[in-house]
Amino acid sequence: MAAKNVTIQDIADRLGMAKSTVSKALSGATDISEKTRERVLGCASEMGYQVKTNRASYTKSIVVFIYGSIHYDKVDQFGYEIILGLQAAAAEHGIGVNITAISDTELKNGSYYPIVTGGNCEGAVFLGFKPHSAFIEQVRSLNIPLVILDNSADYQLAARVGCDNEWGIRQLVRYLWTKGHDRIGFLGGEQDSIVTRERYQAYSGALAELGLEEIPGAVKYGHFSAHGAKKLILEIASTGVTAVVCISDLLACTSIQELAKAGYTVPGDISVTGYDNLPPSEYSQPRITTMYQNRIHIGKTAFFMLQQMNGGIAIDSVQLRPELIERESVKTLTVRELPKEDE
């Protein structure tokens, strides 16, 4: 795990850079190259540099609302790099980032809208939930743009940001097929989640494209928190699948642990893939083949979307391309090549 209280000097020492260069990269200074900034941000994330809220440092700010399973205070949590990228892009434009965790009560009644009033709010980003209709009605008259991770809202100045779920899951299923897997299961999060629905549809569509069928009992839905995953993954394994597509790294990590406890070997008996490329996917034994969502780029993109909407440009959604990270959790049964016209 990453060390605690990582400092700018620690990052500078790791990279062999001057402390002032690292400080500029993290504060958004414009007199360094984008390549250097990306390198510093990547190292900061890897080392667990503490994300700071900077509530009082800027005259203008954007608000990040967070709820549910998305957390950001540790390097192995999904929201960590999103916030890091968002802060880096905002700092470069002299804009602060205020992070607000939403309570269950606020989630239900939308009473968090006063946070964006006052005249200095440049926009809001939603992680883990979509804005309440009461919130939308309050901000509509203020023309405050909103960017929502993997969700949408009925508001002209609301746009969705994220990675292309359909493309990512399709690549995973096709990758498994090239490794000889024809019996492929699916372990999703909450069934009513947009992300779960989109990734299941992509899984089902990819199977159909390859002439494969869903295995009865091999598609299960649980929780992104991995609660109850033990029962679900063992039920999937009992159907005789040779591989399972898990729609998050947390589900994949938990599945591998529970399969091992039940006497299965991964990938010897069953292959497992994840999604996100969070640090635990690399610490897992075996290390997990997964789809990498560049969360620093998601955070940066969210900020630039807000800027464009403030400039009068209408945006519906921006989807980034995830990247397949091949590790050791998938066994090769036989080698097959996809048809050239599908590549």
Side-chain angles (χ1 to χ4, degrees), residues 58-61 63 98 112-123 135 138-139 141-144:
Y58 302 94
T59 57
K60 293 183 178 181
S61 65
V63 178
N98 295 336
Y112 43 88
Y113 56 81
I115 297 172
V116 300
T117 60
N120 68 338
C121 181
E122 293 286 291
F135 177 91
Q138 290 293 327
V139 301
S141 62
L142 302 174
N143 290 324
I144 295 176

Side-chain angles (χ1 to χ4, degrees), residues 15 17 21 25 32-41:
L15 293 173
M17 290 182 179
T21 301
I32 63 171
S33 70
E34 190 60 27
K35 182 178 180 180
T36 298
R37 193 188 314 280
E38 287 282 332
R39 188 179 173 204
V40 170
L41 288 172

Side-chain angles (χ1 to χ4, degrees), residues 249-269:
D249 287 338
L250 181 56
L251 284 170
C253 287
T254 302
S255 294
I256 288 175
Q257 293 166 6
E258 296 302 337
L259 286 167
K261 291 177 184 177
Y264 293 91
T265 62
V266 176
D269 296 322

Side-chain angles (χ1 to χ4, degrees), residues 11-55:
I11 299 170
D13 291 342
R14 170 75 70 87
L15 293 173
M17 290 182 179
K19 180 179 178 181
S20 59
T21 301
V22 173
S23 179
K24 288 179 179 181
L26 295 173
S27 64
T30 58
D31 57 344
I32 63 171
S33 70
E34 190 60 27
K35 182 178 180 180
T36 298
R37 193 188 314 280
E38 287 282 332
R39 188 179 173 204
V40 170
L41 288 172
C43 183
S45 172
E46 180 183 338
M47 295 181 70
Y49 178 74
Q50 184 60 49
V51 175
K52 300 175 178 63
T53 58
N54 294 328
R55 286 185 178 272

Side-chain angles (χ1 to χ4, degrees), residues 24-153:
K24 288 179 179 181
L26 295 173
S27 64
T30 58
D31 57 344
I32 63 171
S33 70
E34 190 60 27
K35 182 178 180 180
T36 298
R37 193 188 314 280
E38 287 282 332
R39 188 179 173 204
V40 170
L41 288 172
C43 183
S45 172
E46 180 183 338
M47 295 181 70
Y49 178 74
Q50 184 60 49
V51 175
K52 300 175 178 63
T53 58
N54 294 328
R55 286 185 178 272
S57 302
Y58 302 94
T59 57
K60 293 183 178 181
S61 65
I62 61 175
V63 178
V64 180
F65 292 109
I66 295 183
Y67 177 80
S69 60
I70 294 186
H71 304 285
Y72 70 94
D73 55 338
K74 295 180 181 179
V75 68
D76 60 351
Q77 294 175 334
F78 186 83
Y80 177 89
E81 289 187 342
I82 294 178
I83 299 296
L84 196 62
L86 191 59
Q87 287 180 322
E92 188 174 346
H93 290 77
I95 296 174
V97 176
N98 295 336
I99 305 169
T100 300
I102 295 299
S103 67
D104 289 337
T105 299
E106 290 173 318
L107 179 74
K108 293 176 181 177
N109 60 28
S111 59
Y112 43 88
Y113 56 81
I115 297 172
V116 300
T117 60
N120 68 338
C121 181
E122 293 286 291
V125 177
F126 286 76
L127 304 180
F129 72 114
K130 63 185 295 184
H132 192 282
S133 58
F135 177 91
I136 294 295
E137 288 308 309
Q138 290 293 327
V139 301
R140 197 182 297 275
S141 62
L142 302 174
N143 290 324
I144 295 176
L146 312 176
V147 171
I148 310 165
L149 177 67
D150 285 326
N151 218 316
S152 58

Side-chain angles (χ1 to χ4, degrees), residues 169 171-177 179-189 199-200 203 207 212 215 217-222 229-256 258-259 264-275 287-291 324 329-331 333:
I169 291 294
Q171 298 314 302
L172 277 175
V173 173
R174 288 158 67 87
Y175 169 78
L176 290 170
W177 184 86
K179 297 293 183 178
H181 295 275
D182 292 329
R183 298 177 61 83
I184 303 170
F186 177 90
L187 179 55
R199 293 183 185 174
Y200 166 72
Y203 155 83
L207 290 184
L212 305 179
I215 309 301
V219 173
K220 299 291 181 181
Y221 300 97
K230 175 181 179 179
K231 177 177 181 290
L232 298 174
I233 191 61
L234 294 184
E235 288 178 350
I236 293 173
S238 70
T239 65
V241 297
T242 62
V244 180
V245 172
C246 298
I247 71 165
S248 77
D249 287 338
L250 181 56
L251 284 170
C253 287
T254 302
S255 294
I256 288 175
E258 296 302 337
L259 286 167
Y264 293 91
T265 62
V266 176
D269 296 322
I270 187 168
S271 296
V272 175
T273 65
Y275 205 103
R287 300 188 310 152
I288 298 172
T289 293
T290 187
M291 291 302 297
L324 178 66
S329 65
V330 174
K331 180 180 180 179
L333 302 179

